[in-house]
Amino acid sequence: MLQPENYNLDYYHYMATGEYNLDFPVTKSYSTCSFYNPEEEEEEDEANNIAVSKNIIHKEAERRRRERINSHLNQLRTLLPANSKIDKASLLAKVVQRVRDLKEQTSKIMQCETNFPSENDEITVLSNDSSADGKLLIKASICCEDRFDLIPDLIQTLKSLRLSPMRAEMVTLGGRIRNVIILAPDKDYTNKSLLFLRDALMSIIQRSSSGNDQRGKRRRVLDQRIAN
Amino acid sequence: MLQPENYNLDYYHYMATGEYNLDFPVTKSYSTCSFYNPEEEEEEDEANNIAVSKNIIHKEAERRRRERINSHLNQLRTLLPANSKIDKASLLAKVVQRVRDLKEQTSKIMQCETNFPSENDEITVLSNDSSADGKLLIKASICCEDRFDLIPDLIQTLKSLRLSPMRAEMVTLGGRIRNVIILAPDKDYTNKSLLFLRDALMSIIQRSSSGNDQRGKRRRVLDQRIAN
DNA sequence: GGTTACACGTGACAC
DNA sequence: TGTGTCACGTGTAAC
């Protein structure tokens, strides 16, 4: 019979070793304070055994759960910059911050996706209103299948139209390319130049689409732009 | 005096309300099983009060700790794709995987850093040996301060040298630019063409370095390349 | 019923 | 000393 005096000793031993050979948990210990009743001992022991074995199962399940959680926590510890000995809450706070930072970084990259070449061939040609500052600029964008001689083709086309590229952005992805070019026209610029440019770019696209055998020879490269 | 019979009731009430108005924890409950001793009651109550207040402090500290941890856990839940109702272990497993993925993605981006423009002006000019397949190509690389008319300048320079760009990669970062251009020379190519090209590129760099007033006008853009 | 996950109070340990 | 963190066993609810 468990005596109140040795409770602590037994409890400590129980806590230290994990052995469950006495009538814990507390609910059972309380029943030891009631009067001794011989004819109830057997069924009581039976109930004890059931309860004890249940508690063992429960206890070990909970231990496994703790181990699972702590295992992941330790994995997170190794993923963070070397301060491996911080408490759980601070660790999780750092993880939250890290995931937020990485997500922001990723979204920053992804927001440039509008400049990635799309699946559809596209041409945009637009010019600013030169009446304001008198400096006319044309922004031309072409998105099409890539081919190894597309850039020289494009340059030759622009030269024949007397359009000087002031700035160019090239993004190639998955065998397709998007070029955005800022052009400065010569003095003999007319309103029809935009239409000529548009037609010329369309013919470039057609040359890319028809020459399927030359497609995809260029190394697939992803050019991403991140605004500072 | 706490009776064994109402232990569960009281305990449940205690668990449900968090009120700590009876002599819990278990160690104290055990002492209620010992013989009643009037002259010890006062100091025992004193000890009880101290122990109870200590336990209250301890209990609430632990509660705050749990709340802190669970708060961060819930923050992590909101950061993951909408499955907000998963258990802690699975949540942490997903977080581990997510951090790993994002780290890998970041390192993938960072490994392209060798193509970022460096702090120092650089020129490399090299050609393949055309004796193998008879097709001569020149790879020219220039890294310098960026300026808004550098691309037209470069194109004009290459045109005057009768070098046709077959392919170009442009990376601009922090006001500096690196251009890598694959060039196809005309028939009248001589061994001196490489030296001419090198000198021409150097003069371009000097024009960029001297014209400090025009520096940095171009929007700072980071073009990153990720090989598939 | 069995299993699973969770919150809780508690003893132990560290600083 | 206390103040904070941890692992543990347990009661409870959901499925």
Side-chain angles (χ1 to χ4, degrees), chain A:
Chain A
M1 213 54 163
L2 183 66
Q3 298 301 320
E5 285 71 21
N6 63 4
Y7 159 74
N8 276 326
L9 265 175
D10 287 338
Y11 181 73
Y12 291 154
H13 173 261
Y14 155 65
M15 288 292 283
T17 62
E19 297 167 15
Y20 208 101
N21 52 0
L22 37 90
D23 40 2
F24 267 80
V26 189
T27 48
K28 279 316 299 157
S29 302
Y30 262 100
S31 71
T32 62
C33 292
S34 56
F35 295 107
Y36 185 63
N37 204 338
E39 69 267 20
E40 288 179 354
E41 187 177 22
E42 197 166 331
E43 57 187 42
E44 187 175 323
D45 280 359
E46 182 70 14
N48 274 356
N49 290 335
I50 292 178
V52 165
S53 60
K54 270 187 182 178
N55 273 340
I56 289 180
I57 292 176
H58 185 23
K59 181 173 67 172
E60 293 187 343
E62 179 64 15
R63 206 195 74 244
R64 282 194 299 272
R65 173 178 170 270
R66 275 196 306 268
E67 283 175 355
R68 211 161 54 240
I69 292 178
N70 285 333
S71 159
H72 293 142
L73 245 30
N74 287 330
Q75 287 185 17
L76 282 176
R77 247 178 262 267
T78 67
L79 290 178
L80 289 189
N83 304 328
S84 65
K85 288 316 283 177
I86 55 176
D87 63 275
K88 282 183 190 177
S90 308
L91 169 68
L92 288 175
K94 282 194 173 189
V95 170
V96 167
Q97 192 54 44
R98 184 126 178 97
V99 173
R100 285 208 173 117
D101 288 348
L102 291 174
K103 277 187 69 155
E104 187 192 7
Q105 193 173 349
T106 308
S107 74
K108 243 183 193 171
I109 292 174
M110 290 309 170
Q111 83 184 4
C112 300
E113 201 161 24
T114 51
N115 288 325
F116 286 171
S118 62
E119 291 297 315
N120 303 318
D121 293 341
E122 295 173 13
I123 290 178
T124 63
V125 176
L126 40 93
S127 67
N128 62 342
D129 185 1
S130 62
S131 61
D133 53 3
K135 185 147 181 65
L136 179 69
L137 287 180
I138 300 174
K139 178 179 179 180
S141 170
I142 178 174
C143 175
C144 62
E145 286 291 320
D146 196 9
R147 52 187 163 95
F148 78 99
D149 58 345
L150 185 134
I151 303 295
D153 199 358
L154 191 58
I155 290 178
Q156 187 59 34
T157 298
L158 297 177
K159 195 178 82 176
S160 69
L161 288 172
R162 301 187 178 280
L163 297 169
S164 306
M166 301 300 294
R167 179 179 169 188
E169 292 174 1
M170 179 184 71
V171 183
T172 67
L173 172 63
R176 294 189 60 82
I177 187 170
R178 179 191 296 273
N179 276 286
V180 179
I181 315 168
I182 306 300
L183 296 161
D186 279 0
K187 301 287 183 292
D188 55 352
Y189 165 82
T190 69
N191 282 334
K192 289 182 179 172
S193 295
L194 292 183
L195 300 179
F196 291 157
L197 174 59
R198 190 172 171 279
D199 289 343
L201 296 180
M202 283 193 64
S203 68
I204 287 181
I205 283 189
Q206 284 167 0
R207 262 171 281 171
S208 288
S209 301
S210 58
N212 284 345
D213 47 345
Q214 290 196 352
R215 230 195 287 168
K217 285 189 176 179
R218 189 179 291 180
R219 186 169 63 96
R220 294 190 170 193
V221 169
L222 167 61
D223 288 355
Q224 290 180 318
R225 297 189 306 115
I226 303 177
N228 280 355

